[in-house]
Amino acid sequence: MLNKPIARNFLSLFCLRHGFQRPARFISDNECGYVPVPEQLRELAMTENFERSFAEHAERLLRHERACNEASAQNRRIIFETLSVSRITAVTVSFDGEGDSGQIEEIAVVPEGEDSRLDVLVDAVTAKWTDCEIVSERTPLRDVIEQVCYAALAETNGGWENNEGAFGDFRFDVANRTLTLEFNGRYMSTEYSEHSWTEEA
């Protein structure tokens, strides 16, 4: 029998894909406060085929993640090679986000005034979702730099734009061919105190 944590996750994916109202969690009876699972989905969740489908989907996600990591590594090499030819010695990419929204704010280059060199087209690569194949596509260097930075944020600080969010910089050091992330996470803190008095004091 399919265990409930697996059923919860896959039912949510199944409902979203097929237009059903997504259950808050997998339930075996109609508990107050939760959306009941349609009977046909309840039966489907208990089949071996359903569990196998979920396992295959999980494996596909892992393969796609590995392909994306490889694509990012290739794109970093492309970035540094192109910057070297363009005689740009450093690139700083600033990002900021909070409240479930985040974006790259600015890209600055050294020497200053050479920003137009980032508009050159390069043979960047991406990982296809269908078969995880890595394919090449002509893309402006500026866009490739952004893609690499967003991928690095997802790899190291997934959800960085949520709640209080975060800000920071990526620094491309062309001479040493290194990409450094300077990350600043925002956190909300509270300090509690309590006092009591009687009539006398």
Side-chain angles (χ1 to χ4, degrees), residues 20-35:
F20 291 103
Q21 186 177 16
R22 182 175 57 175
R25 67 179 181 123
F26 183 83
I27 54 177
S28 58
D29 51 26
N30 189 6
E31 301 177 37
C32 181
Y34 296 94
V35 180

Side-chain angles (χ1 to χ4, degrees), residues 55-95:
E56 291 172 352
H57 184 72
E59 174 59 26
R60 184 178 182 182
L61 285 174
L62 289 175
R63 286 191 288 109
H64 185 256
E65 182 180 2
R66 288 193 293 266
C68 287
N69 290 339
E70 174 57 29
S72 290
Q74 291 188 37
N75 284 333
R76 287 195 298 272
R77 289 191 289 270
I78 292 169
I79 290 170
F80 284 120
E81 290 170 2
T82 307
L83 291 176
S84 297
V85 174
S86 302
R87 298 178 182 174
I88 291 176
T89 60
V91 176
T92 299
V93 181
S94 301
F95 63 91

